[in-house]
Amino acid sequence: MFKENEVYIGSPLDEQSLKQFYSKELLHWYRAQKRSLPWRENKDPYRIWVSEIMLQQTKVDTVIPYFQRFMERFPTVQQLAVAEEEEVLKCWEGLGYYSRARNLHTGAKMVVEHFGGVVPNDKTEVASLKGVGPYTTGAIMSIAFNEPVPAVDGNVMRVLSRFFLLQDDIAKQKTRVSIEHLAVSLIPEGEAGDFNQALMELGALVCTPKAPVCLTCPVMEHCAARLNGMELQLPIKTKAKPPRSEWRGVVIVEGSGEQTGKILVRQRPETGLLAQMWELPHLLLPEEKGKQWFQETATKKEPQLARLLGEMLVEEQQLIIRPTQWLMDIDHIFSHIHWKMRVYIADTSTANDWMQSDRVAETANSIAEESLPDQQSGYTTSITVKEELADMYRWIGKQDLEQLPFPNVFVRILQQYWSE
DNA sequence: TAGGCGTGGGG
DNA sequence: TCCCCAAGCCT
């Protein structure tokens, strides 16, 4: 990329003049071109805070409706602080990175408990809030309080890497710190909020990753990347590892008897992936079989995979149900995992025969004796779950879906299921 | 320090 | 279809 001893074209301006040019032109451009966004209506630090958390790794267009709904439901930091976690998560459903919501909720409680219910205007105190890192600290301090603290995100690193021809790998933390020093030195006196937003606005509207619109850029004249024809090669960033694949079997368990019309869902653990959200029961399938059987058509190999899934549900989750009817295959890609899911409807009406057979019955009987002594014999009309797992599970109807937070992939599955 | 942690849109 | 990515933080 950058060669040893290569000579690059530079601007004729000295460093000081170049910085002054950059700051002045960019600020001027921002004042004329800035978008009208909900969180720009006022400088309420709580609103700024919420918006900045939502905007982490998330596009403006995606955030807008979530922000409006969130602010209607939790207009003040006090109201957020006293809310139920589940309701906060429900408000965040579909936005992703759900630890942001849980951390924001924790942060709101911290504000009420430690800062008298007022979002602090001190850099160290702001940075102490759960979920608020270096970028968000700078964004809150500069936008809400107009304090000259840098707010360096991916946009800022890209924009400054190009203009100043910086060749450090922006995936490294050290690079962000060095760019923070540069960014501080660019902030015009008394203009921290607008200038920091101007940097990001330029990155979002003009100096974009794939196809920068240089001809509309207010600082094109002295942009080092542009002068050297290198705007598409900057910034330098090491590539992320591709997500690993996981093959998963999912069941929609249809209730019978009192639970007719309902399905079985469960809540995920308090930590880790999709923490505390609700989901359909599902299992990680053995690597080889999952991979092999998913390559066949669903219908062709259905009996084998359905049977395996049923046995695994009994042995691992101790869910006494029988998956039979294939519903759909669906992919869901996280940043680091690729879920390849095969969804079955579990037919409880034939579970009796199922339970009579071979090792399934053995396992089922031992479970019943151990942890569910009151369970009536036969499994045709009820579902048993191992006692210590029972708290996680719940029967819900279609309308209950509106109360509980579900990850997007399960929302999609259930939409299809209920649309048929 | 590097990996865990979601989702939807654009080229 | 595939790949990249977008206003990061936590551990």
Side-chain angles (χ1 to χ4, degrees):
Chain A
M1 187 76 58
F2 287 83
K3 298 178 189 128
E4 294 268 343
N5 304 320
E6 184 85 358
V7 176
Y8 297 102
I9 300 167
S11 161
L13 299 182
D14 62 68
E15 186 184 328
Q16 197 58 28
S17 306
L18 195 61
K19 287 183 173 180
Q20 282 175 7
F21 162 83
Y22 189 85
S23 302
K24 185 183 170 195
E25 293 303 321
L26 188 56
L27 194 54
H28 184 256
W29 171 85
Y30 175 71
R31 296 253 159 82
Q33 302 293 331
K34 69 174 178 181
R35 289 169 291 182
S36 170
L37 299 171
W39 45 90
R40 287 180 177 164
E41 286 171 9
N42 60 50
K43 305 283 189 192
D44 176 2
Y46 170 64
R47 283 174 70 88
I48 305 296
W49 178 17
V50 171
S51 73
E52 289 301 338
I53 299 298
M54 287 190 170
L55 286 163
Q56 288 170 7
Q57 304 289 294
T58 312
K59 293 239 162 71
V60 162
D61 289 345
T62 303
V63 166
I64 289 173
Y66 281 92
F67 178 79
Q68 289 171 329
R69 224 177 309 136
F70 197 92
M71 295 311 299
E72 280 171 26
R73 177 58 194 84
F74 311 109
T76 65
V77 67
Q78 284 83 4
Q79 281 163 286
L80 178 58
V82 300
E84 289 296 325
E85 185 103 319
E86 191 157 273
E87 195 178 355
V88 179
L89 274 176
K90 186 65 187 177
C91 242
W92 212 272
E93 182 187 83
L95 198 52
Y97 284 137
Y98 299 99
S99 67
R100 292 183 297 173
R102 295 185 291 112
N103 290 340
L104 177 61
H105 190 207
T106 302
K109 291 177 182 171
M110 292 171 71
V111 166
V112 167
E113 189 174 341
H114 301 301
F115 302 118
V118 178
V119 178
N121 62 1
D122 173 80
K123 181 180 169 183
T124 304
E125 291 178 349
V126 168
S128 76
L129 297 172
K130 189 87 171 166
V132 176
Y135 163 75
T136 307
T137 300
I140 293 172
M141 290 307 297
S142 62
I143 299 172
F145 305 117
N146 210 26
E147 291 290 324
V149 181
V152 173
D153 67 346
N155 279 318
V156 175
M157 289 195 283
R158 180 176 61 255
V159 163
L160 294 181
S161 290
R162 284 175 176 167
F163 188 84
F164 293 101
L165 209 70
L166 309 178
Q167 55 179 299
D168 297 326
D169 181 355
I170 65 167
K172 298 198 180 300
Q173 193 159 338
K174 195 164 67 175
T175 304
R176 197 208 69 234
V177 173
S178 79
I179 292 182
E180 280 175 349
H181 291 303
L182 171 60
V184 177
S185 74
L186 292 169
I187 298 175
E189 183 80 26
E191 307 284 8
D194 277 0
F195 180 74
N196 281 351
Q197 291 185 84
L199 281 170
M200 295 185 277
E201 196 84 339
L202 188 73
L205 299 181
V206 176
C207 197
T208 53
K210 295 281 188 64
V213 197
C214 294
L215 295 182
T216 69
C217 178
V219 295
M220 175 185 79
E221 183 184 352
H222 294 292
C223 175
R226 173 75 183 175
L227 289 169
N228 290 280
M230 298 181 63
E231 61 270 22
L232 294 180
Q233 296 159 45
L234 290 170
I236 292 173
K237 185 181 183 181
T238 54
K239 286 178 188 159
K241 284 190 350 186
R244 69 174 186 273
S245 289
E246 287 184 1
W247 289 268
R248 288 185 171 271
V250 187
V251 279
I252 297 178
V253 184
E254 297 175 326
S256 53
E258 282 183 17
Q259 313 299 350
T260 299
K262 297 188 172 181
I263 60 161
L264 191 65
V265 298
R266 69 180 181 201
Q267 190 172 24
R268 294 181 61 86
E270 288 184 10
T271 58
L273 182 67
L274 304 168
Q276 291 176 271
M277 300 194 71
W278 292 79
E279 64 180 4
L280 293 168
H282 62 100
L283 282 179
L284 178 63
L285 298 165
E287 172 99 26
E288 329 78 58
K289 289 180 178 174
K291 195 169 184 175
Q292 180 192 337
W293 287 344
F294 265 65
Q295 282 166 355
E296 309 281 344
T297 64
T299 45
K300 188 176 172 188
K301 288 296 178 185
E302 179 196 332
Q304 280 168 276
L305 189 47
R307 181 171 186 82
L308 173 66
L309 179 58
E311 290 176 359
M312 289 178 65
L313 284 164
V314 171
E315 288 171 19
E316 293 182 25
Q317 298 292 300
Q318 309 201 335
L319 258 182
I320 315 297
I321 55 97
R322 181 187 185 184
T324 49
Q325 184 192 341
W326 174 82
L327 178 67
M328 63 192 291
D329 282 359
I330 186 168
D331 278 29
H332 190 68
I333 304 173
F334 303 96
S335 339
H336 58 307
I337 310 174
H338 184 164
W339 275 357
K340 298 165 184 288
M341 311 178 94
R342 179 154 294 175
V343 185
Y344 293 93
I345 294 170
D347 181 355
T348 58
S349 69
T350 58
N352 200 33
D353 295 340
W354 171 245
M355 287 308 135
Q356 306 290 326
S357 64
D358 54 49
R359 63 198 184 113
V360 175
E362 246 174 71
T363 310
N365 287 335
S366 70
I367 295 164
E369 285 168 23
E370 275 174 27
S371 55
L372 291 170
D374 296 330
Q375 187 68 37
Q376 298 298 310
S377 62
Y379 298 93
T380 52
T381 61
S382 64
I383 304 298
T384 70
V385 176
K386 194 177 181 185
E387 207 167 359
E388 52 263 42
L389 296 178
D391 281 350
M392 304 165 49
Y393 285 85
R394 190 184 295 181
W395 290 103
I396 64 161
K398 198 172 179 176
Q399 69 283 0
D400 298 320
L401 200 59
E402 292 159 23
Q403 308 300 325
L404 305 176
F406 282 83
N408 179 274
V409 63
F410 298 105
V411 172
R412 285 191 287 153
I413 292 170
L414 288 172
Q415 274 172 354
Q416 166 150 347
Y417 171 67
W418 272 314
S419 75
E420 286 177 353

